[in-house]
Amino acid sequence: MKNSLESILLVEDDEVDVMNVKRAFSKNNIKNPLFVAGNGVEALYMLNNVIASLPKIIVLDINMPKMNGIEFLKLLRKDEKLKSISLFVMKTSNEESDKINAYHLNVAGYILKPLSFEKFVSSVATLKYFWQICDM
C-alpha cells in the first residue's frame, strides 16, 4: 500500500468479522489506519465529523442494523464529497441480487466472507492489489 498510509473505513456490525478483517489485514501486511463503524448511520457520521482525511477505501457489510449496506451506498453515491470513495462490499452469501444491486451503485469489488480464514485472507488481499493498481 501507499507510503502515506491512507485510511480505510470498515462498516461492519459483527465483532468477530471485525477481528477477522483486522487479522486478514495483518496477514496481508496492510498497515493503513482502519476506522470501524458498526452500521451505515455511524459510518456517515464518522465520514462527516470524525475522520479528518477521508478514507480512500470503504469495506462495507450489506446486512447491518439501522441502515443496511445498500441504503448506505445509495446515500454515499449521492453525496458530492463522498461519492468518489472506492468501496468493496463484503457479504457472507453469494446472492446474485445483492451483487447486482452493489455493482449498479459503482462498487469496486465484492468480497465473500468464506468459511475458512485462509480463504478470507486471500480475498482481503484484493484490497492491497487494488490499491497498488490505483497508485500506478
Side-chain angles (χ1 to χ4, degrees), residues 116-135:
S116 80
F117 181 69
E118 292 74 26
K119 288 182 182 176
F120 186 67
V121 169
S122 176
S123 294
V124 169
T126 60
L127 293 174
K128 188 173 185 175
Y129 301 126
F130 174 81
W131 197 277
Q132 290 170 342
I133 290 169
C134 289
D135 277 353

Side-chain angles (χ1 to χ4, degrees), residues 71-86:
E71 292 167 333
F72 170 79
L73 194 47
K74 286 178 181 177
L75 289 174
L76 188 86
R77 293 304 184 219
K78 289 179 184 175
D79 188 313
E80 285 300 315
K81 181 178 106 177
L82 306 174
K83 71 180 183 180
S84 65
I85 298 173
S86 296

Side-chain angles (χ1 to χ4, degrees), residues 91-130:
K91 183 141 178 19
T92 306
S93 77
N94 200 9
E95 194 171 310
E96 198 64 29
S97 65
D98 285 337
K99 276 184 172 179
I100 292 168
N101 288 335
Y103 282 121
H104 281 281
L105 292 166
N106 198 27
V107 299
Y110 197 88
I111 300 172
L112 279 177
K113 299 181 201 176
L115 296 176
S116 80
F117 181 69
E118 292 74 26
K119 288 182 182 176
F120 186 67
V121 169
S122 176
S123 294
V124 169
T126 60
L127 293 174
K128 188 173 185 175
Y129 301 126
F130 174 81

Side-chain angles (χ1 to χ4, degrees), residues 54-66:
L54 289 176
K56 298 296 180 190
I57 295 175
I58 296 175
V59 180
L60 174 70
D61 185 22
I62 291 284
N63 296 321
M64 295 180 295
K66 295 186 183 180

